[in-house]
Amino acid sequence: MAMGNLSTDYQEQNQQTDIGASIRNGREIFLQAFNWESHKHDWWKNLESKVPDIAKSGFTSAWLPPSTHSFAPEGYLPQNIYSLNSKYGSEHQLKGLLQKMKQCKVRPMADIVINHRVGTTQGNGGMYNRYDGIPLSWDEHAVTSCTGGLGNRSTGDNFNGVPNIDHSQPFVRKDITTWLQWLRNTVGFQDFRFDFARGYAAKYVKEYIEGAKPIFSVGEYWDSCNYNDHGLDYNQDSHRQQIISWIDGTGQLSTAFDFTTKGILQEAVKGQLWRLRDPQGKPPGVMGWWPSRSVTFLDNHDTGSTQAHWPFPSNHIMEGYAYILTHPGIPSVFYDHFYDSGDSIHDQIVKLIHIRRQKEIHSRSSVRILEAQPNLYSAIIGEKVCMKIGDGSWCPDVREWKLATSGHRYAVWHK
């Protein structure tokens, strides 16, 4: 055992200094530890009580909501980004939570909202585009010209109704990098999730990752999938290519949420499982092309929760998790599914995570798709795990495979 401990310590030391270590390792499984209503529920205290369960369930990292002062209670309209008092709780409660996560070896992931920032005072043109009276007291030159500032045009899409930050300004990038280093080294966040990554060039994300050295990073590059009159297009290559180009732009240092897989999977489980094999015989999302950079998920605080912009069908959740938790990519689980959908779902998800870890399925594991019919999908992953989802009955050679777990419309076997 001593040898095992030694290598874990060595790995941890290594991960602290080597930005690419966790991506190469490919063993991450994370929990999105909040939803759109969490700010109403004394959140840091609530989460602190759940940390032991999060650790025991096998999650390596938990994504926390934006922890700094915000104009809106959910945290996505930041203003004084050096204040750690938010609607989720006080700085003291946050520190308690982070301490507990450190003890239990679950890495805290910070939600990095740096596309836009709410001003404190009116400047050029009578807009609230200055930041007087708070740390990082920028003037109008920090705001893009397209959103009422005196900076350059945006390097991405606009987030409307609020000043967008001009990342092309060296003083802005220097200040943001220093702030990210503070979150990483002083506050104690270890991983980063970049909000609204469409809003500014990926090369800046690369610079921020190099500057602050998070252990793991993921970007939210969310654009609509391709639809036609009859519903979702079978071919989503242009959609996944956009996400892949963004990852490339970060110098491959960041992963990205696999919105392509989400969009396809939530249609596939409704009796269209043929969608889960692309024309090349591979998985059809980012996972099929660049699995080590694909973070798979079923829902988040925007697509699901009370906003429900693009929800995964709730009666098919376990089929969804049976797919992403057995497949390559980096799977993540949504709080509402894990903690608010009943003990049975919680325990079934834990079982799938344990099989993934026990059989050493990782982000780059191979996939052999055996069946992709309307009501049946089956595949062998890493030559160690075999699974099926859908109503269709199917089972592998019983001399070779042993049932590991099963539930409504899904089953998993191992060797």
Side-chain angles (χ1 to χ4, degrees):
M1 266 319 283
M3 192 60 213
N5 291 345
L6 191 97
S7 68
T8 324
D9 285 352
Y10 172 73
Q11 267 182 331
E12 276 179 26
Q13 285 313 114
N14 197 26
Q15 284 197 338
Q16 299 297 334
T17 52
D18 176 356
I19 304 173
S22 68
I23 286 181
R24 282 199 303 278
N25 181 27
R27 301 284 195 292
E28 310 304 309
I29 302 172
F30 72 83
L31 176 71
Q32 174 173 359
F34 67 101
N35 61 35
W36 195 243
E37 304 296 322
S38 298
H39 62 91
K40 298 173 181 168
H41 303 287
D42 218 353
W43 204 245
W44 301 145
K45 279 174 78 173
N46 166 48
L47 276 187
E48 189 175 338
S49 68
K50 290 187 161 61
V51 172
D53 181 66
I54 293 170
K56 192 174 85 204
S57 300
F59 293 106
T60 54
S61 183
W63 161 21
L64 306 185
S67 59
T68 54
H69 166 262
S70 162
F71 213 67
E74 301 85 9
Y76 292 96
L77 292 177
Q79 191 174 55
N80 180 359
I81 62 175
Y82 272 103
S83 163
L84 290 170
N85 294 306
S86 71
K87 287 285 186 268
Y88 295 102
S90 66
E91 174 174 357
H92 181 70
Q93 289 169 329
L94 174 65
K95 295 274 171 76
L97 168 62
L98 296 180
Q99 189 52 41
K100 185 77 168 174
M101 290 177 77
K102 192 175 181 175
Q103 279 170 4
C104 295
K105 293 189 159 50
V106 177
R107 300 199 311 264
M109 177 183 288
D111 203 328
I112 307 298
V113 188
I114 50 174
N115 172 74
H116 47 270
R117 186 183 180 202
V118 176
T120 56
T121 46
Q122 287 171 300
N124 181 60
M127 310 273 285
Y128 278 86
N129 53 16
R130 293 180 61 88
Y131 302 91
D132 303 300
I134 54 173
L136 298 194
S137 45
W138 297 334
D139 67 7
E140 301 91 326
H141 293 92
V143 176
T144 61
S145 59
C146 8
T147 58
L150 293 173
N152 297 313
R153 283 192 65 75
S154 175
T155 55
D157 295 336
N158 286 335
F159 187 92
N160 294 322
V162 56
N164 283 220
I165 295 170
D166 180 8
H167 293 262
S168 72
Q169 306 286 351
F171 77 91
V172 166
R173 295 205 302 281
K174 180 173 173 289
D175 283 349
I176 289 177
T177 301
T178 302
W179 175 67
L180 292 171
Q181 288 168 339
W182 172 74
L183 285 178
R184 175 78 176 89
N185 304 320
T186 307
V187 182
F189 283 101
Q190 293 179 289
D191 297 352
F192 290 165
R193 176 257 182 192
F194 290 92
D195 179 65
F196 198 70
R198 283 169 51 193
Y200 50 99
K203 65 181 180 186
Y204 300 130
V205 173
K206 175 179 191 280
E207 189 174 322
Y208 298 143
I209 292 173
E210 286 170 341
K213 300 183 173 49
I215 290 177
F216 180 83
S217 297
V218 57
E220 180 206 24
Y221 194 97
W222 182 15
D223 209 353
S224 303
C225 281
N226 306 317
Y227 289 87
N228 58 49
D229 298 342
H230 308 291
L232 186 74
D233 284 349
Y234 168 58
N235 186 319
Q236 296 291 331
D237 287 357
S238 65
H239 187 266
R240 54 176 164 175
Q241 185 55 55
Q242 275 188 303
I243 297 174
I244 280 172
S245 300
W246 181 84
I247 298 166
D248 252 333
T250 71
Q252 310 185 4
L253 295 179
S254 183
T255 64
F257 286 107
D258 192 344
F259 282 93
T260 320
T261 289
K262 177 197 165 34
I264 294 169
L265 185 60
Q266 67 189 24
E267 296 305 319
V269 293
K270 300 173 194 166
Q272 301 178 12
L273 292 166
W274 48 268
R275 292 181 176 276
L276 295 180
R277 176 161 57 191
D278 77 4
Q280 281 67 51
K282 289 175 145 50
V286 179
M287 178 219 286
W289 278 356
W290 205 356
S292 67
R293 301 295 189 283
S294 152
V295 172
T296 51
F297 71 104
L298 302 190
D299 263 327
N300 62 31
H301 58 291
D302 291 321
T303 65
S305 188
T306 50
Q307 295 199 86
H309 289 313
W310 198 39
F312 198 90
S314 56
N315 52 334
H316 291 280
I317 285 167
M318 282 316 305
E319 286 160 273
Y321 283 119
Y323 179 79
I324 68 171
L325 288 168
T326 56
H327 276 57
I330 298 151
S332 67
V333 174
F334 184 39
Y335 185 92
D336 294 19
H337 298 156
F338 199 61
Y339 284 120
D340 291 344
S341 301
D343 289 347
S344 166
I345 299 263
H346 172 284
D347 295 348
Q348 288 178 74
I349 291 172
V350 169
K351 186 85 177 111
L352 289 168
I353 292 173
H354 286 171
I355 293 165
R356 182 181 186 87
R357 295 189 65 153
Q358 203 186 346
K359 294 293 155 189
E360 299 195 314
I361 299 299
H362 53 81
S363 66
R364 293 180 185 78
S365 290
S366 61
V367 187
R368 244 179 341 120
I369 299 172
L370 304 175
E371 298 286 349
Q373 302 167 19
N375 289 305
L376 171 66
Y377 171 87
S378 65
I380 293 176
I381 303 92
E383 300 300 327
K384 300 171 192 166
V385 167
C386 180
M387 58 77 75
K388 61 121 338 195
I389 54 175
D391 288 328
S393 65
W394 183 88
C395 112
D397 185 340
V398 291
R399 289 164 304 184
E400 209 183 334
W401 298 94
K402 189 163 143 275
L403 186 68
T405 188
S406 65
H408 189 46
R409 291 194 288 249
Y410 77 89
V412 181
W413 295 263
H414 62 83
K415 281 199 169 165

Short mmCIF file of all heavy atoms in Angstrom, two decimals, residues 323-346:
data_model
loop_
_atom_site.label_atom_id
_atom_site.label_comp_id
_atom_site.label_asym_id
_atom_site.label_seq_id
_atom_site.Cartn_x
_atom_site.Cartn_y
_atom_site.Cartn_z
N TYR A 323 -25.01 6.04 -20.60
CA TYR A 323 -24.20 6.34 -21.78
C TYR A 323 -22.95 7.13 -21.40
O TYR A 323 -21.83 6.69 -21.62
CB TYR A 323 -25.05 7.11 -22.80
CG TYR A 323 -24.33 7.51 -24.07
CD1 TYR A 323 -24.13 6.58 -25.10
CD2 TYR A 323 -23.87 8.81 -24.27
CE1 TYR A 323 -23.48 6.94 -26.29
CE2 TYR A 323 -23.22 9.18 -25.45
CZ TYR A 323 -23.03 8.24 -26.45
OH TYR A 323 -22.38 8.60 -27.61
N ILE A 324 -23.11 8.31 -20.78
CA ILE A 324 -21.92 9.16 -20.57
C ILE A 324 -20.96 8.60 -19.51
O ILE A 324 -19.75 8.81 -19.62
CB ILE A 324 -22.26 10.64 -20.29
CG1 ILE A 324 -22.94 10.85 -18.94
CG2 ILE A 324 -23.07 11.25 -21.43
CD1 ILE A 324 -23.09 12.33 -18.55
N LEU A 325 -21.48 7.86 -18.53
CA LEU A 325 -20.58 7.35 -17.48
C LEU A 325 -19.84 6.07 -17.88
O LEU A 325 -18.91 5.65 -17.20
CB LEU A 325 -21.34 7.14 -16.16
CG LEU A 325 -21.74 8.44 -15.44
CD1 LEU A 325 -22.72 8.16 -14.31
CD2 LEU A 325 -20.50 9.18 -14.90
N THR A 326 -20.25 5.45 -19.00
CA THR A 326 -19.49 4.29 -19.49
C THR A 326 -18.60 4.67 -20.67
O THR A 326 -17.74 3.89 -21.06
CB THR A 326 -20.43 3.16 -19.97
OG1 THR A 326 -21.30 3.68 -20.98
CG2 THR A 326 -21.23 2.58 -18.82
N HIS A 327 -18.83 5.83 -21.25
CA HIS A 327 -18.15 6.19 -22.49
C HIS A 327 -16.92 7.07 -22.26
O HIS A 327 -16.75 7.64 -21.18
CB HIS A 327 -19.13 6.86 -23.46
CG HIS A 327 -19.92 5.88 -24.27
ND1 HIS A 327 -20.71 4.90 -23.69
CD2 HIS A 327 -20.05 5.70 -25.61
CE1 HIS A 327 -21.27 4.17 -24.64
NE2 HIS A 327 -20.89 4.63 -25.82
N PRO A 328 -16.07 7.20 -23.29
CA PRO A 328 -14.94 8.13 -23.17
C PRO A 328 -15.43 9.56 -22.98
O PRO A 328 -16.63 9.81 -22.93
CB PRO A 328 -14.19 7.96 -24.49
CG PRO A 328 -15.11 7.26 -25.41
CD PRO A 328 -16.06 6.48 -24.57
N GLY A 329 -14.49 10.50 -22.90
CA GLY A 329 -14.84 11.85 -22.52
C GLY A 329 -14.72 11.99 -21.01
O GLY A 329 -14.30 11.05 -20.31
N ILE A 330 -15.07 13.16 -20.52
CA ILE A 330 -15.00 13.45 -19.08
C ILE A 330 -16.42 13.70 -18.61
O ILE A 330 -17.00 14.75 -18.89
CB ILE A 330 -14.11 14.70 -18.85
CG1 ILE A 330 -12.69 14.43 -19.34
CG2 ILE A 330 -14.11 15.10 -17.38
CD1 ILE A 330 -11.97 15.67 -19.81
N PRO A 331 -17.02 12.71 -17.92
CA PRO A 331 -18.44 12.86 -17.58
C PRO A 331 -18.68 13.80 -16.40
O PRO A 331 -17.87 13.86 -15.47
CB PRO A 331 -18.86 11.43 -17.22
CG PRO A 331 -17.61 10.73 -16.83
CD PRO A 331 -16.47 11.41 -17.50
N SER A 332 -19.79 14.53 -16.46
CA SER A 332 -20.18 15.32 -15.30
C SER A 332 -21.65 15.05 -15.00
O SER A 332 -22.44 14.72 -15.89
CB SER A 332 -19.93 16.81 -15.53
OG SER A 332 -20.77 17.30 -16.53
N VAL A 333 -21.99 15.18 -13.73
CA VAL A 333 -23.33 14.85 -13.24
C VAL A 333 -23.95 16.13 -12.69
O VAL A 333 -23.27 16.93 -12.05
CB VAL A 333 -23.24 13.76 -12.14
CG1 VAL A 333 -24.59 13.51 -11.49
CG2 VAL A 333 -22.67 12.46 -12.72
N PHE A 334 -25.23 16.33 -12.94
CA PHE A 334 -25.92 17.55 -12.52
C PHE A 334 -26.52 17.37 -11.12
O PHE A 334 -27.13 16.33 -10.82
CB PHE A 334 -27.01 17.90 -13.53
CG PHE A 334 -27.74 19.19 -13.27
CD1 PHE A 334 -27.06 20.32 -12.81
CD2 PHE A 334 -29.11 19.29 -13.51
CE1 PHE A 334 -27.73 21.51 -12.59
CE2 PHE A 334 -29.78 20.49 -13.29
CZ PHE A 334 -29.09 21.60 -12.82
N TYR A 335 -26.38 18.39 -10.28
CA TYR A 335 -26.87 18.37 -8.90
C TYR A 335 -28.31 17.86 -8.79
O TYR A 335 -28.61 17.00 -7.96
CB TYR A 335 -26.78 19.77 -8.29
CG TYR A 335 -27.16 19.81 -6.82
CD1 TYR A 335 -26.19 19.66 -5.83
CD2 TYR A 335 -28.50 19.96 -6.43
CE1 TYR A 335 -26.54 19.66 -4.49
CE2 TYR A 335 -28.85 19.95 -5.09
CZ TYR A 335 -27.87 19.80 -4.13
OH TYR A 335 -28.22 19.79 -2.80
N ASP A 336 -29.20 18.40 -9.62
CA ASP A 336 -30.62 18.05 -9.52
C ASP A 336 -30.85 16.55 -9.74
O ASP A 336 -31.71 15.95 -9.11
CB ASP A 336 -31.44 18.83 -10.56
CG ASP A 336 -31.44 20.32 -10.29
OD1 ASP A 336 -30.55 20.79 -9.56
OD2 ASP A 336 -32.32 21.03 -10.82
N HIS A 337 -30.09 15.98 -10.66
CA HIS A 337 -30.23 14.55 -10.91
C HIS A 337 -29.68 13.74 -9.74
O HIS A 337 -30.25 12.73 -9.36
CB HIS A 337 -29.49 14.15 -12.20
CG HIS A 337 -30.03 14.83 -13.42
ND1 HIS A 337 -29.27 15.03 -14.55
CD2 HIS A 337 -31.25 15.36 -13.69
CE1 HIS A 337 -30.01 15.64 -15.47
NE2 HIS A 337 -31.20 15.86 -14.96
N PHE A 338 -28.57 14.21 -9.19
CA PHE A 338 -27.88 13.45 -8.15
C PHE A 338 -28.53 13.57 -6.78
O PHE A 338 -28.63 12.58 -6.05
CB PHE A 338 -26.41 13.90 -8.09
CG PHE A 338 -25.51 12.91 -7.40
CD1 PHE A 338 -25.35 11.62 -7.92
CD2 PHE A 338 -24.80 13.24 -6.25
CE1 PHE A 338 -24.51 10.69 -7.31
CE2 PHE A 338 -23.96 12.32 -5.63
CZ PHE A 338 -23.82 11.05 -6.16
N TYR A 339 -28.98 14.77 -6.43
CA TYR A 339 -29.50 14.98 -5.08
C TYR A 339 -31.00 15.27 -5.00
O TYR A 339 -31.58 15.20 -3.93
CB TYR A 339 -28.73 16.11 -4.39
CG TYR A 339 -27.37 15.67 -3.90
CD1 TYR A 339 -26.21 16.27 -4.37
CD2 TYR A 339 -27.24 14.62 -2.99
CE1 TYR A 339 -24.95 15.86 -3.92
CE2 TYR A 339 -25.99 14.19 -2.54
CZ TYR A 339 -24.86 14.82 -3.01
OH TYR A 339 -23.63 14.40 -2.58
N ASP A 340 -31.64 15.61 -6.11
CA ASP A 340 -33.06 15.98 -6.03
C ASP A 340 -33.95 15.04 -6.84
O ASP A 340 -35.10 15.39 -7.13
CB ASP A 340 -33.27 17.43 -6.52
CG ASP A 340 -32.66 18.45 -5.56
OD1 ASP A 340 -32.35 18.08 -4.41
OD2 ASP A 340 -32.48 19.61 -5.97
N SER A 341 -33.45 13.89 -7.24
CA SER A 341 -34.28 12.97 -8.04
C SER A 341 -34.54 11.66 -7.31
O SER A 341 -34.92 10.66 -7.91
CB SER A 341 -33.58 12.67 -9.38
OG SER A 341 -33.37 13.86 -10.09
N GLY A 342 -34.29 11.66 -6.00
CA GLY A 342 -34.55 10.46 -5.19
C GLY A 342 -33.31 9.61 -4.99
O GLY A 342 -32.36 9.65 -5.78
N ASP A 343 -33.33 8.82 -3.90
CA ASP A 343 -32.18 7.99 -3.52
C ASP A 343 -31.83 6.96 -4.58
O ASP A 343 -30.68 6.63 -4.80
CB ASP A 343 -32.45 7.25 -2.20
CG ASP A 343 -32.46 8.21 -1.02
OD1 ASP A 343 -32.01 9.36 -1.20
OD2 ASP A 343 -32.92 7.82 0.06
N SER A 344 -32.86 6.43 -5.25
CA SER A 344 -32.62 5.37 -6.22
C SER A 344 -31.73 5.88 -7.36
O SER A 344 -30.74 5.23 -7.72
CB SER A 344 -33.94 4.85 -6.78
OG SER A 344 -33.70 4.08 -7.93
N ILE A 345 -32.05 7.05 -7.90
CA ILE A 345 -31.25 7.63 -9.00
C ILE A 345 -29.83 7.92 -8.50
O ILE A 345 -28.85 7.61 -9.18
CB ILE A 345 -31.91 8.92 -9.55
CG1 ILE A 345 -33.30 8.60 -10.11
CG2 ILE A 345 -31.02 9.60 -10.58
CD1 ILE A 345 -33.43 8.38 -11.58
N HIS A 346 -29.73 8.52 -7.31
CA HIS A 346 -28.41 8.81 -6.71
C HIS A 346 -27.57 7.54 -6.67
O HIS A 346 -26.42 7.51 -7.13
CB HIS A 346 -28.63 9.37 -5.30
CG HIS A 346 -27.38 9.54 -4.48
ND1 HIS A 346 -26.73 8.46 -3.87
CD2 HIS A 346 -26.65 10.64 -4.14
CE1 HIS A 346 -25.67 8.91 -3.21
NE2 HIS A 346 -25.59 10.22 -3.35
#
